[in-house]
Amino acid sequence: MEQITQHTQPGDEPIGAIEEVHGPVVDIVCARLPPLHQALSCAFDHERYTFEVYRHLDEHRVRAIALHPTGGLKRGLPVFDSGGPLRIPVTPHCLNRLLDVFGAPLDGGPPLSPREMRNIIARPATLAETIPAAGILESGIKVIDLLCPFVKGGKTGLFGGAGVGKTVLIMEFMHAIVSLHQGVSVFAGVGERIREGHELWHEMQDAGVMPHTLMVFGQMDESPGVRFRVGLSAVAYAEYLRDTLGKEVLLLMDNVFRFVQAGSEISGLLGRMPATVGYQPTLMSEVAELQERIISTRSGDITAVQAVYVPADDMTDPAVSTILSHLDTMVILSRSQAAKGIYPAVDPLLSSSKMMDRSFLGDRHYSIAEGVREHLARYKELEDIIAMLGLEALSEKDQRIVLRARKLQRYLSQPFHVVTSHTGIKGVSVPLEQTLFDCEAFLRGDYDAFTEEQCYMRGSMQEKINV
């Protein structure tokens, strides 16, 4: 709340007064109309409320969405103009903090001492300032670097349900950015459950990645206006860290679908006519407003990893399709992989990247990745025959492919640094070059004499040989 009070001077003349309150929707009569997305504020009973203007009703009235619970508000209360859109305090010392959509602390620490205030609604960098994808951002995670590599400065969608290792994978990405690239992470909890946010915060502290991480939360019990804007707050912090520190910035969002849901709630509250499947008519522009700011400039890179919930497992859902159109890489976490004990539970056949191209990856990486996919795809085709008739019913060539595919499947599992305290297995990061060397050897048959257990939950195969 302290961050909000500094935007409104008590001595200022009010811009208007509250006329009606309908849940989070507040109609305000104004002496002069504030522009759309202007932040307004009101004080009552030692509490301060913030509103964002979404609609001009007529020459003297605006409709705004409250960013705080509206219990206690009443007609006639004076409303003050903040002078601009919603702003957040930014400082190079914002890392290792847990903040809300306003930049106020949620971790019990002192408020940020800002060097400047930054608008959360801003234009993306111009085309002249942006730089194209320059290569792969290595994560040290074998299956991702090989089959669905992260693009430096690109956007990755992480599709997974509960219990398949999504949170662990997100924390491992943070660890990789800190350890491999000396970068920083910004985590946006969009509509997070308080339990989930609390557990993630403590797990990240235990894993040692919080000193290089900023977390911004808009929780599930808050106004749809908060859940709709917390992603932009996180992007504004990521842009600030990119421009001031010039380092790799990893932006993680969980969950982008809840951002779309919050926009749908606001659209309904404003009385707009719903569009396809009940989504808001402004779906595409709202998603673009968020996604188009996640770009790389000459100052540094922002690489985004976004968790996406798929309603009813329907990838043709309008919200999912709209988000997909902005992504470079799609990582699918499979419950069947998790059931086999293969972690990370990435489905190597469904996961893909727009950058899986020979001209981008190079001939060697592309050929090895295709060979691994072919082996795994052939094994999947033969699984039913093996279950009914046994491995001996296959041809000698197919038997060889199946045995190598099973070893590759287990080789693509990997112990993570962030869960070492739980599993007792020391985490490993495997360079892409080593992953390519090992997979090439698997495809040649160099490791045919190894058992499947010898390939499971290891780093590189060279480490196993040297043991």
Side-chain angles (χ1 to χ4, degrees):
M1 296 294 180
E2 291 79 9
Q3 299 299 331
I4 304 163
T5 57
Q6 61 186 332
H7 304 322
T8 305
Q9 300 299 326
D12 287 353
E13 288 294 320
I15 191 176
I18 293 176
E19 181 184 43
E20 294 184 23
V21 180
H22 303 277
V25 180
V26 179
D27 290 352
I28 302 168
V29 177
C30 300
R32 56 179 175 82
L33 282 180
L36 294 177
H37 304 301
Q38 189 88 336
L40 309 178
S41 63
C42 170
F44 178 70
D45 196 22
H46 307 294
E47 294 287 340
R48 190 162 292 276
Y49 302 83
T50 303
F51 317 113
E52 183 179 354
V53 177
Y54 274 90
R55 190 173 177 184
H56 289 167
L57 298 176
D58 54 36
E59 293 88 344
H60 302 290
R61 295 187 305 143
V62 298
R63 179 161 290 169
I65 298 293
L67 302 181
H68 293 98
T70 54
L73 287 181
K74 61 181 182 180
R75 291 178 176 179
L77 289 176
V79 176
F80 296 86
D81 189 354
S82 69
L86 189 65
R87 300 186 184 97
I88 52 172
V90 290
T91 167
H93 306 294
C94 60
L95 297 175
N96 199 18
R97 297 304 303 271
L98 184 66
L99 307 175
D100 65 10
V101 67
F102 307 106
L106 293 173
D107 52 11
L112 295 181
S113 300
R115 292 189 179 179
E116 62 174 286
M117 304 299 293
R118 179 171 284 228
N119 294 343
I120 67 167
I121 299 175
R123 292 182 181 274
T126 63
L127 285 174
E129 296 170 341
T130 61
I131 57 176
I136 293 173
L137 183 70
E138 287 193 35
S139 65
I141 302 170
K142 294 180 287 189
V143 64
I144 287 176
D145 289 346
L146 175 69
L147 299 176
C148 44
F150 287 2
V151 181
K152 187 179 289 187
K155 307 179 190 75
T156 298
L158 191 61
F159 299 81
V164 294
K166 181 176 60 180
T167 301
V168 173
L169 197 53
I170 282 177
M171 289 195 298
E172 190 70 12
F173 294 151
M174 292 182 179
H175 185 277
I177 285 291
V178 171
S179 60
L180 299 180
H181 305 281
Q182 289 76 51
V184 295
S185 301
V186 178
F187 180 89
V190 183
E192 282 281 296
R193 298 174 184 87
I194 293 175
R195 171 188 59 79
E196 291 176 339
H198 186 267
E199 289 174 358
L200 180 63
W201 179 36
H202 284 283
E203 285 172 359
M204 287 170 57
Q205 287 177 320
D206 295 340
V209 297
M210 269 309 289
H212 305 276
T213 303
L214 167 67
M215 302 183 76
V216 185
F217 277 98
Q219 297 168 51
M220 188 172 279
D221 63 334
E222 295 189 79
S223 160
V226 169
R227 288 180 272 121
F228 188 60
R229 289 307 187 201
V230 68
L232 291 181
S233 289
V235 170
Y237 277 114
E239 289 173 335
Y240 177 77
L241 293 170
R242 176 195 66 193
D243 298 337
T244 55
L245 302 183
K247 289 189 175 184
E248 300 279 358
V249 180
L250 179 65
L251 174 65
L252 302 111
M253 297 185 67
D254 188 9
N255 185 307
V256 184
F257 185 77
R258 296 197 193 117
F259 162 77
V260 173
Q261 284 183 311
S264 182
E265 285 183 53
I266 289 174
S267 181
L269 291 167
L270 296 175
R272 295 176 185 152
M273 185 70 72
T276 311
V277 198
Y279 287 110
Q280 60 269 41
T282 51
L283 172 65
M284 296 184 72
S285 60
E286 288 172 2
V287 172
E289 181 185 17
L290 176 70
Q291 300 286 353
E292 292 304 305
R293 286 173 60 185
I294 306 172
I295 51 178
S296 298
T297 67
R298 293 181 177 84
S299 302
D301 298 315
I302 298 179
T303 303
V305 179
Q306 307 171 24
V308 183
Y309 168 70
V310 183
D313 293 329
D314 180 15
M315 295 296 288
T316 64
D317 183 87
V320 176
S321 300
T322 302
I323 295 167
L324 270 174
S325 66
H326 292 274
L327 301 179
D328 301 300
T329 302
M330 181 173 65
V331 179
I332 307 291
L333 293 180
S334 163
R335 200 168 298 282
S336 63
Q337 291 285 95
K340 295 173 185 174
I342 296 172
Y343 289 98
V346 176
D347 190 312
L349 298 178
L350 294 179
S351 302
S352 62
S353 174
K354 290 180 181 177
M355 296 304 180
M356 284 297 294
D357 183 85
R358 194 182 296 274
S359 61
F360 185 80
L361 298 179
D363 286 337
R364 182 165 178 253
H365 185 168
Y366 183 82
S367 300
I368 293 170
E370 286 299 294
V372 170
R373 280 188 196 275
E374 287 171 8
H375 275 62
L376 294 172
R378 183 60 179 160
Y379 171 45
K380 187 172 183 179
E381 290 173 6
L382 298 170
E383 275 185 324
D384 289 340
I385 296 175
I386 295 170
M388 290 185 293
L389 303 177
L391 188 62
E392 297 76 16
L394 303 179
S395 67
E396 186 177 338
K397 179 182 178 183
D398 280 342
Q399 286 185 35
R400 191 164 56 246
I401 288 174
V402 167
L403 292 174
R404 289 176 184 172
R406 288 178 62 87
K407 291 186 178 75
L408 277 166
Q409 197 177 52
R410 280 146 184 79
Y411 169 73
L412 293 176
S413 68
Q414 185 171 340
F416 281 169
H417 294 89
V418 294
V419 291
T420 298
S421 59
H422 300 289
T423 62
I425 306 174
K426 185 179 179 182
V428 291
S429 292
V430 182
L432 174 60
E433 186 58 36
Q434 185 62 53
T435 302
L436 294 176
F437 180 86
D438 287 344
C439 290
E440 197 172 32
F442 272 112
L443 297 175
R444 282 197 310 261
D446 294 0
Y447 299 133
D448 284 356
F450 279 68
T451 64
E452 293 175 9
E453 289 72 22
Q454 288 176 306
C455 305
Y456 178 66
M457 279 294 171
R458 295 289 184 267
S460 72
M461 292 303 291
Q462 294 299 307
E463 293 173 9
K464 183 62 185 170
I465 291 170
N466 295 335
V467 172

